[in-house]
């Protein structure tokens, strides 16, 4: 059963991160758009991405991730890499919710520079790289 949990966790994780990567790029386009029609279209895309892909993928990722922790708690509880991974996942969840915050602000017409979203687009990449290295190498 553990391997099924792992497979589903990885599939959901890929969908979740795809959404996280894409939503920040949509925000860049949103802030650079000059046409209200384009901004409206992007707002629809952002809403659908967040609620139809990102949110369900996050829930599935977390459910099966916690399921794996539960099934193998004795093996994971004393490993430093797992606790660091959990901390980094909390940061990813924060980025996820931050995306929704900015999505709502853009809907309200708040103006941001696209540079902000370009920078925020790099954060999940760094988190993903570190998490994958921790999970594969289990350095400590």
């Amino acid at each position: 059963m553990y391997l099924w949990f792992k497979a589903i966790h990885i599939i959901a994780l890929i969908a979740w991160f795809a959404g996280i990567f894409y939503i920040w790029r949509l925000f860049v386009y949103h802030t650079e758009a000059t046409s209200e029609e384009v901004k409206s279209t992007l707002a629809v895309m952002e809403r659908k991405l967040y609620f139809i892909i990102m949110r369900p993928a996050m829930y599935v990722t977390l459910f099966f991730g916690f399921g794996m922790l539960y099934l193998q708690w004795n093996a994971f509880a004393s490993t430093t890499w797992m606790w660091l991974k959990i901390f980094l996942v909390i940061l990813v969840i924060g980025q996820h919710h931050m995306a929704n915050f900015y999505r709502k602000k853009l809907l309200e017409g708040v103006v941001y520079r696209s540079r902000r979203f370009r920078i925020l687009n790099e954060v999940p990449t760094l988190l993903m790289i570190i998490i994958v290295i921790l999970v594969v190498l289990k350095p400590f």
Side-chain angles (χ1 to χ4, degrees), residues 23-126:
I23 202 160
W24 296 109
R25 178 56 42 193
L26 287 176
F27 293 161
V28 169
Y29 298 148
H30 195 129
T31 58
E32 292 178 350
T34 55
S35 161
E36 287 304 315
E37 186 178 334
V38 171
K39 287 182 181 188
S40 178
T41 299
L42 288 167
V44 170
M45 293 170 66
E46 292 157 4
R47 180 179 47 78
K48 288 182 176 182
L49 176 63
Y50 187 82
F51 288 107
I52 297 172
I53 296 172
M54 288 173 60
R55 185 176 276 179
M58 177 186 70
Y59 289 146
V60 173
T61 300
L62 295 175
F63 177 82
F64 285 94
F66 283 121
M68 287 188 302
L69 274 175
Y70 176 77
L71 292 171
Q72 297 287 324
W73 179 249
N74 291 334
F76 291 137
S78 63
T79 61
T80 304
W81 71 267
M82 180 55 77
W83 290 104
L84 183 54
K85 178 192 173 197
I86 291 169
F87 172 73
L88 294 172
V89 169
I90 291 168
L91 295 180
V92 174
I93 294 168
Q95 256 247 321
H96 174 97
H97 291 294
M98 187 187 315
N100 195 39
F101 169 81
Y102 281 117
R103 186 188 67 77
K104 290 175 183 176
K105 290 296 183 185
L106 288 168
L107 274 177
E108 294 170 5
V110 176
V111 178
Y112 295 102
R113 291 178 50 212
S114 63
R115 179 172 162 77
R116 171 187 305 243
F117 299 124
R118 290 179 192 279
I119 292 168
L120 287 169
N121 189 45
E122 302 306 323
V123 173
T125 304
L126 295 173

